[in-house]
Amino acid sequence: METLLTISGAGVNPYSARGLTQTLDHIQAAAAMRRTINGKLKDLSQPQFRKYTSTITSRDQVAPPLDGVWPGDVVSVGCVAELSYLTAGGAPQRSVVPGSSRADGAYTFYRPQLVMKVMSYTTQEDEYGRVVSWSLVLEED
């Protein structure tokens, strides 16, 4: 395997994901913060909006096989980025990529398996340098 990343459908082909990076961030609606008249910060977000957005980028020799993948398409992503929780009394908040869970001291780390919608996909090719850069932006469904 060239990468820990998995994407449902065509997958991730060789020489498309070396040096890959992935971000996990909260969607904008998950951070609905407002201050009261007394200056106290209140969280007004609803639990159903606690979702992730992710950007996956890489520079390698070829682009991943995402021909025909369009904004709004649903994919299942086995993330490279890890989440963690306190082992004692804690539990993962998302599905765990099989075999990715590991304990380290008081914490358990895991790679989440997320069902996400494609927001955008870009690719750029440097013909002379024979380098393909690509980026996939996703939001949890």
Side-chain angles (χ1 to χ4, degrees):
M1 285 182 55
E2 302 238 350
T3 180
L4 296 173
L5 177 71
T6 59
I7 301 174
S8 63
V12 181
N13 51 321
Y15 309 110
S16 68
R18 293 175 297 181
L20 177 139
T21 62
Q22 180 181 20
T23 64
L24 281 179
D25 197 2
H26 302 103
I27 64 169
Q28 188 175 5
M33 304 287 198
R34 299 289 184 271
R35 293 215 176 258
T36 68
I37 194 164
N38 296 325
K40 197 154 175 72
L41 188 61
K42 295 287 186 175
D43 178 10
L44 302 177
S45 65
Q46 299 296 312
Q48 65 267 29
F49 289 106
R50 293 183 178 155
K51 306 279 184 166
Y52 287 105
T53 182
S54 180
T55 301
I56 303 168
T57 59
S58 184
R59 283 179 45 94
D60 207 340
Q61 294 178 349
V62 296
L66 296 175
D67 184 25
V69 175
W70 296 99
D73 286 354
V74 177
V75 293
S76 179
V77 178
C79 295
V80 172
E82 288 185 316
L83 298 174
S84 63
Y85 58 91
L86 277 170
T87 303
Q93 297 296 302
R94 298 294 189 273
S95 297
V96 178
V97 170
S100 73
S101 185
R102 62 183 175 81
D104 187 1
Y107 300 94
T108 299
F109 295 83
Y110 71 99
R111 295 182 10 251
Q113 181 79 38
L114 302 174
V115 175
M116 307 188 91
K117 283 196 177 175
V118 174
M119 302 303 286
S120 68
Y121 169 62
T122 58
T123 184
Q124 177 182 359
E125 188 158 342
D126 174 356
E127 179 185 22
Y128 184 76
R130 191 60 196 129
V131 175
V132 175
S133 301
W134 60 271
S135 176
L136 179 63
V137 179
L138 307 150
E139 283 195 15
E140 196 171 7
D141 197 20

